[in-house]
Amino acid sequence: MNAPVDLFALLQATKEHAEAPNLADYDRFLVWFSGGKDSLACVLHLLECGVPPAKIEIGHHLVDGRESSRLMDWPVTESYVQAFAKHFGLKCYMSWRKGGFEREMLRENQKTAPVAFESEDGTVHEFGGDGGSENTRLKFPQTSADLRVRYCSSAVKIDVGARVLVHEPRFQQGKTLVVTGERAEESPSRAMYKAFEPHRCDLRNGKKVQRHIDAWRPVHKWTEAQVWAIIERHRVNPHPAYWIGFGRASCRTCIFSSPSGWATVRHYMPKAFIPIATYERRFGYTIHRTKTVDQLADSGVPFECDARWITIADSFEYTEPIIVDSWTLPPGAFKESAGPS
Ligand code: SF4
């Protein structure tokens, strides 16, 4: 007699199949790479799946742009991302909103700035800045799931990425898989994301232009332990922010920082903290609904860390190895990691 069919297992297998792309179908794999642990896990997972490094490219959004602003990001991040890409033999391109986060925040009867990105041929392309309406922000993004008020995520990341996909010639041909590192356990809204779907910039049935782009979140169901496990398997040295004690390597002065995160920046890197506190006073509008960043820092405790990592994180050149002989979990692993990136 035939064994009874396990309908639940069959349903699960079908669902998981629908949630995973056939990697052999794609011409290129673009990983939107912040330098944080989840983006490291995405690249390492692609490599473990057998994707040739020549087909993988890293795209990194410079939150502060390429001009003079240093308001938000870790100075070392761009260099860390480049060092990681170089070690694994991956192409690496930068993209940014001109003037970065700070210019967007200081808009006063102005349009949003154009987006610029490095192209395959080494040139920098610029798009946008001429459409949309003139308006005024003059306040920090708010710590909300609503992207209309948490405007940094769209202005310096999501929209920037979309411009790259729509205007860079190589994405207008063949099939591209865009890979990102959101995980369900990070937040209820991230839990709702699909693991695999056509990308919002996909235009595979377009009349004039056909652009085949899918989106894949390979670590969507992973736990943080699985993320650190793949980083350990490859002995990758994580971003210096984790060695200082942060649970995420997002912006150094991320609007979602915890009291101890603010206390750490104020204690060890006051030059990064003071401009934020000064802008809050100038705008008369704080990041947190009821507390200033100073009040938040007062209620936190600076992370205990090796001062060497402060110097490294605060520099523009990452000189540490990407691969380490004896790998250990950094102090930021499994620590507070509030907020989206
Ligand atoms: S890391 Fe924080 S401050 Fe930076 S863009 Fe993301 S949400 Fe905004």
Side-chain angles (χ1 to χ4, degrees):
M1 203 167 82
N2 288 339
V5 177
D6 183 341
L7 280 177
F8 179 74
L10 196 64
L11 216 66
Q12 275 300 105
T14 312
K15 191 165 169 271
E16 272 165 28
H17 180 72
E19 286 178 352
N22 179 1
L23 300 183
D25 283 351
Y26 294 90
D27 297 288
R28 67 191 72 79
F29 298 79
L30 167 63
V31 184
W32 287 132
F33 188 91
S34 67
K37 62 184 183 306
D38 300 323
S39 58
L40 294 180
C42 286
V43 173
L44 299 174
H45 182 59
L46 286 176
L47 293 170
E48 286 192 356
C49 288
V51 176
K55 283 191 166 190
I56 303 175
E57 59 181 83
I58 278 180
H60 177 71
H61 305 311
L62 300 168
V63 172
D64 287 320
R66 260 278 162 81
E67 295 80 16
S68 55
S69 177
R70 301 278 174 248
L71 189 67
M72 300 302 292
D73 220 353
W74 292 99
V76 79
T77 296
E78 180 177 356
S79 175
Y80 175 81
V81 168
Q82 283 164 339
F84 175 88
K86 188 171 175 206
H87 176 84
F88 285 96
L90 315 175
K91 292 180 269 243
C92 179
Y93 304 104
M94 301 290 154
S95 43
W96 61 97
R97 171 86 57 194
K98 293 200 81 182
F101 180 115
E102 192 168 11
R103 185 202 179 276
E104 180 65 24
M105 181 177 72
L106 295 179
R107 273 170 66 190
E108 190 170 7
N109 296 318
Q110 274 176 297
K111 292 181 176 183
T112 194
V115 163
F117 59 85
E118 293 172 347
S119 191
E120 206 172 15
D121 61 10
T123 56
V124 172
H125 295 295
E126 223 178 278
F127 289 94
D130 42 5
S133 51
E134 293 176 353
N135 51 37
T136 299
R137 291 207 188 273
L138 293 182
K139 61 180 164 202
F140 279 97
Q142 299 298 288
T143 50
S144 160
D146 182 347
L147 288 180
R148 284 169 303 179
V149 292
R150 195 187 89 221
Y151 60 83
C152 51
S153 296
S154 48
V156 300
K157 291 185 174 173
I158 299 168
D159 294 351
V160 174
R163 292 273 179 186
V164 174
L165 289 167
V166 168
H167 293 289
E168 170 65 50
R170 72 182 173 281
F171 298 119
Q172 320 311 316
Q173 31 183 296
K175 290 185 178 176
T176 303
L177 188 62
V178 172
V179 179
T180 52
E182 300 94 339
R183 287 185 301 111
E185 71 173 19
E186 291 175 298
S187 72
S189 59
R190 289 196 168 194
M192 304 293 285
Y193 292 173
K194 286 186 178 160
F196 178 53
E197 59 187 336
H199 192 274
R200 62 195 279 257
C201 296
D202 178 72
L203 206 58
R204 71 192 67 182
N205 299 316
K207 288 205 174 83
K208 285 191 190 149
V209 179
Q210 270 107 40
R211 187 166 55 233
H212 189 121
I213 307 181
D214 286 321
W216 188 34
R217 302 181 174 95
V219 300
H220 188 245
K221 289 200 172 60
W222 289 25
T223 60
E224 183 172 345
Q226 288 175 287
V227 169
W228 286 115
I230 197 169
I231 295 170
E232 180 176 13
R233 276 205 294 287
H234 293 263
R235 291 183 290 109
V236 173
N237 203 357
H239 187 287
Y242 296 108
W243 289 108
I244 295 174
F246 286 88
R248 296 167 68 229
S250 51
C251 291
R252 169 166 63 178
T253 48
C254 176
I255 57 169
F256 287 99
S257 287
S258 65
S260 293
W262 286 117
T264 302
V265 176
R266 186 174 68 178
H267 181 74
Y268 296 108
M269 298 159 277
K271 280 190 188 151
F273 183 87
I274 290 167
I276 303 287
T278 306
Y279 270 132
E280 277 195 336
R281 286 195 289 274
R282 174 177 154 190
F283 298 152
Y285 210 95
T286 53
I287 294 175
H288 186 276
R289 210 165 292 162
T290 56
K291 291 178 181 162
T292 64
V293 285
D294 260 309
Q295 288 168 328
L296 288 169
D298 288 344
S299 62
V301 181
F303 303 140
E304 273 180 38
C305 70
D306 180 343
R308 194 173 69 88
W309 284 108
I310 300 286
T311 308
I312 294 165
D314 208 17
S315 73
F316 289 94
E317 204 177 337
Y318 181 80
T319 49
E320 295 296 301
I322 284 292
I323 304 297
V324 286
D325 290 337
S326 59
W327 191 93
T328 52
L329 262 184
F334 302 106
K335 286 244 312 253
E336 52 183 29
S337 55
S341 182

